[in-house]
Structures are given as structure tokens and as C-alpha cells.
Amino acid sequence: MSIHPVVIEKSPLSLTDARKLMDLLTSDEGFRDVFQRCPSEAMLRISPEAAAAASRCSMPVKLASIEVLFCTRERVIDSLTSNSIFSIAFCFVDTALERNVAAAA
């Protein structure tokens, strides 16, 4: 008997879903609170596909500020539409995004 690891396939977000996610993360404190607590629950507000893409994901650290997310919006959207959401573990985290902002300046 062989044991095979369970692989959960996740797909990238659509451009529409990625833009809506970034719109909400940069403008809606209630959405940000839910996203911090349970990303898949928050993603239901975007679409069922977005919620499925974020299933089994968590935000173990503090979400980046609205300002930092706003400054890195296009880079994050590019990542979300080419990689699965949360495939880059810290793409929504303050320190990683702040480095991107500093590098772009």
C-alpha cells in the first residue's frame, strides 16, 4: 500500500477578481478584517471561484496597510493572475510589500 500526498490544485484569480480583491483591500476595513481572519470567507464576496482559490489559506501575520497595498496594487494583481492566490506566502504582508515599494522608488 502506498500513501500519496494530497495535492490541492489552486488556480490564479481572474483579472476581474484580482482587481476587485485589491479594490476591497485598499478601501473596505470590514473586508480587510474578514480577509485577515478567514481569506476564503472574505473571497466569497468577490466570487465563488475566488473563494475556492483561497480555500485552506490563512493570514498568520498582519495584513499590509492600505497605503502599501495601494502602492503595490499592479504588482500584486500581476502575481494573483499568473500564480495561484497565496502561492507566494507573504504577498499580502507589510514587510514583503514595503520592500517592493522601496525597490520601485
Side-chain angles (χ1 to χ4, degrees):
M1 172 196 269
S2 64
I3 298 175
H4 300 283
V6 175
V7 176
I8 299 169
E9 293 292 325
K10 295 187 182 214
S11 59
L13 294 180
S14 70
L15 182 57
T16 300
D17 286 351
R19 284 181 176 158
K20 187 169 184 181
L21 171 60
M22 293 308 292
D23 288 346
L24 290 167
L25 287 175
T26 58
S27 67
D28 186 323
E29 287 294 337
F31 180 83
R32 289 172 55 81
D33 290 344
V34 175
F35 188 85
Q36 178 73 55
R37 187 181 75 252
C38 181
S40 60
E41 180 184 333
M43 297 295 278
L44 276 172
R45 188 164 161 195
I46 295 170
S47 74
E49 296 80 14
S55 67
R56 295 188 175 188
C57 296
S58 65
M59 283 294 302
V61 294
K62 187 174 181 342
L63 183 63
S65 70
I66 287 173
E67 295 79 15
V68 168
L69 286 169
F70 187 80
C71 289
T72 58
R73 175 186 170 86
E74 293 307 314
R75 286 186 187 178
V76 174
I77 288 172
D78 286 345
S79 176
L80 295 174
T81 57
S82 60
N83 302 299
S84 63
I85 189 168
F86 291 96
S87 65
I88 301 170
F90 298 102
C91 72
F92 299 107
V93 177
D94 252 335
T95 54
L97 290 173
E98 285 173 358
R99 282 193 300 270
N100 280 334
V101 170

